[in-house]
Amino acid sequence: MDIRAIRERAFLNRAGLPAYSVLLLALILSAIAWYFAQRTVVAHERNHFNRAVTQTIIALNLRMEAYTTTLHGVAAIFAASENVTRREFRTFVETVDIERRHPSIHGVGLIRRVRAAERAGYLAAMRAEHGANPCGYPDVSVFPKEIRTEYYLIELVEPILVNRELFGRDVLTEPACLEAMERARDSGEPAVTAPVRVVRGDQERLALFMLMPLYVRGQALETVAGRRAAIEGFVFAQLLAEELFGGIFGKLENPRIDLEVFDGEIDTGRLLFDNDRVLHALHSAGNPHFTQTVDFEAGGRRWRLHFTSLKVFHDRWLATLPLAILLTGSALGVVLFRVNIAQSRHAHERQRHTTVLEYQATHDSLTRLVNRDYLYARLQVTFEQNDPRPRTSALLLIDLDRFKEINDTLGHQSGDRLLTDLGARLRPLLRPDDVLARLGGDEFGLLMQGIGDVHEARRTAERILDEIRRPFELDGISVQIDASIGIALYPEHGRDAVTLMRCADVAMYIAKRNNAGHALYDSTLDPHSPRRLTLLSEIARAVDGGELLLYYQPKVDMQHRRITGVEALARWDHPRSGLILPGEFIPQVETSPLVRNFTLWVIEAALTQCLRWHESAIPVQVAVNISARNLADSELPDRVAALIERHRASAGCLEMEITESALIADPERALAVLTRLHGLGVRLAIDDFGTGYSSLAFLKKLPISTLKIDSSFISGITEDDNDAVIVHSTIALAHNLGLTVVAEGVETTEQRDLLEIIGCDQAQGYLFCRPQPASKIDAFLRRGLPVH
Ligand code: C2E
Ligand code: CA
Ligand code: CA
């Protein structure tokens, strides 16, 4: 099984559960709906069937009652008159309109009891009537030949035209009639015969005779014997079975139910009626089908009515409804299942996507450590608890030294490897609650929550440094790096994330500056300490409001021991704090837009002072310090040109000192500005030389005339051979490039002498003169020579 199939199966296992439940539920509900629909359909049809059965029985009952009533009417005319002629009988039948009112009655008539003794007289009378008025009757010819004690002869029957074969028949010869006659005679009630075959036209049909006894008037009829003695004959109605039942059924117009009528039992009795044998075949396969058997009492005989629903009885659409419900329900279930699966998959994908996004938002993709945002959020959560006696936590800011070099020399891939390896090395040093984050570049942050004391943070910092200093193997090259770690404590140094992070940052710079590995935050060393932050807000006023002033420090020509120039150094005469040194406010000025006006003010003040000295016949040059931000200001050269012109000064008396680091930030732009300043005739010097990494080759491209060697080299020059060698070779190379070399921070005569020996051109330092206000330095300059 491939990985996709495994993942799919795992997904279905988890997310598929609700979907499968929905499917199962839908199938169960469909099955239940199917079951109930089925039952409802069956109940509905059963009801329909039962109604049809009941209606048939009611109709049959009404019909039989109507026949009985009709026969009573027929009997009444014989009771009323001794001798009813054929004509009278026909008139009666026509008046009652039996044929139309009862279509299934195919004849009514009279059966006369004729005793053997009466036979001859009776025949004669009949013949006489026939002779006088036959009325459509045939002659009496079919009289039974054999001699019996009595005969029951059909004497009258109407309509005679269709019933001629009945006329004159002795019904005693018909067993079915005999049985019914005896019943009617004995009970005095109408009786119905078993079916009798009769010929109708050229067809044989099944007929039923309903017989009503006629007794001799005035006889006692209470007992069977009395009734037997008094019997005179019967009136009868001939019913065709097919038309009797068919008429009822036809009226009900219900061909969808089969009716079979038996005289007697279903199996043994005779079939009186079957409404359609062709349709009958249809119901055999019909399932479910309904059957019902009803016993019907008719004139002393028992009929058995057998109803069966035919296939067509069952509504095809209604029958398919339950199945349709089942199928639709199941299909719906499957659709829901698929929709559910699709939705779950969608939700799953979205969840995964969100998780990935969340991970990306809070993690560093390279080292897989959490990022700056996450660390800030954690700091905030930790500090938001507003605990009155919070536990001490430490924030360690780790900054790698020399990382940029590795990136530049070995390539980014190696740099990335180093960072990844470092993350892996540091992880085992962490306690479970510690949060190690990559803040960006070569900076890492470690939050240690709930530490015992500051020593614990220091010990961790040392262990981290040990790990960092252990060589890294990068593509077969062993590389060694170092780091500086700043430590800030919560709540001692800050109670919010931003402050604590800044304190750790300050501590890290202290560690870096002092080459100490790690350092704890110290507010007195913080350029952003509250006092400094207040100063920043006041600096704008200082620049515009005359609180700034310039001190000057002479530069001494080593060969002639003469002052050749002065360097202007800014001071802030603060109304409350007194004199503030540039180290405390210049960095703030440099990071604000004030820097342009500040520098222009310094240049103008220095230029004004320089012109004053020139007027007093003191031919000094004045040097001003230009910050890195000024070199990014393309308007500066024009502004300087305007100043020089306004004061009618010579550009040659102005020198500008630019630190090495200022040049490195954006060399192209710096070069453009410097070239234009040089074009004005302003002299340019590189300040603090040796602290940056600029090569002499780079300096060669610059339009500079002077190099100022940083005081850190000069201070060690007499003790440290290394420093002496560096200064010596720097002077030699600078001279090669035609540059003047100035040594900064000369404090001792030994330093001065050594510098003189190795050919340094000029020197500047406390040994000769501390920076002083112009007024105090005047006399010094007039003398033209330094004290030493
Ligand atoms: P920098 O340009 O290197 O100036 C020389 C610094 O060394 C001055 O410090 C000076 O007082 C000090 N110094 C001179 N001789 C000795 C010595 O023998 N021993 C010791 N230990 N120090 C000596 P300062 O005046 O505090 O100025 C510090 C820095 O502030 C300057 O360093 C310069 O970078 C900056 N700065 C001063 N004024 C200005 C200014 O007007 N504009 C700009 N952009 N920066 C200025
Ligand atoms: Ca300087
Ligand atoms: Ca300097």
Side-chain angles (χ1 to χ4, degrees), residues 39 150 153 161 197 227 337 360 488 506 605 611 623 667:
R39 276 187 55 156
E150 58 179 1
L153 303 174
L161 270 177
R197 286 188 185 283
R227 289 196 286 271
F337 170 74
Q360 283 174 350
V506 169
L611 289 173

Side-chain angles (χ1 to χ4, degrees), residues 631-690:
L631 293 185
D633 181 359
S634 51
E635 283 183 31
L636 186 76
D638 291 342
R639 301 276 184 127
V640 173
L643 277 181
I644 292 170
E645 204 180 304
R646 182 137 52 89
H647 291 277
R648 297 209 177 89
S650 140
C653 66
L654 190 64
E655 188 171 37
M656 291 187 177
E657 297 185 4
I658 305 113
T659 57
E660 243 195 307
S661 50
L663 287 168
I664 292 163
D666 186 357
E668 295 297 310
R669 215 146 149 189
L671 186 60
V673 173
L674 290 180
T675 309
R676 282 168 62 199
L677 288 171
H678 177 70
L680 295 175
V682 176
R683 290 160 56 84
L684 300 172
I686 295 295
D687 209 350
D688 299 351
F689 185 77

Side-chain angles (χ1 to χ4, degrees), residues 1 13 55-56 81 246 410 431 468 511 519 670 679:
M1 202 187 294
N13 282 349
Q55 280 175 357
T56 308
S81 159
L410 297 180
R431 304 170 311 159
I468 293 174

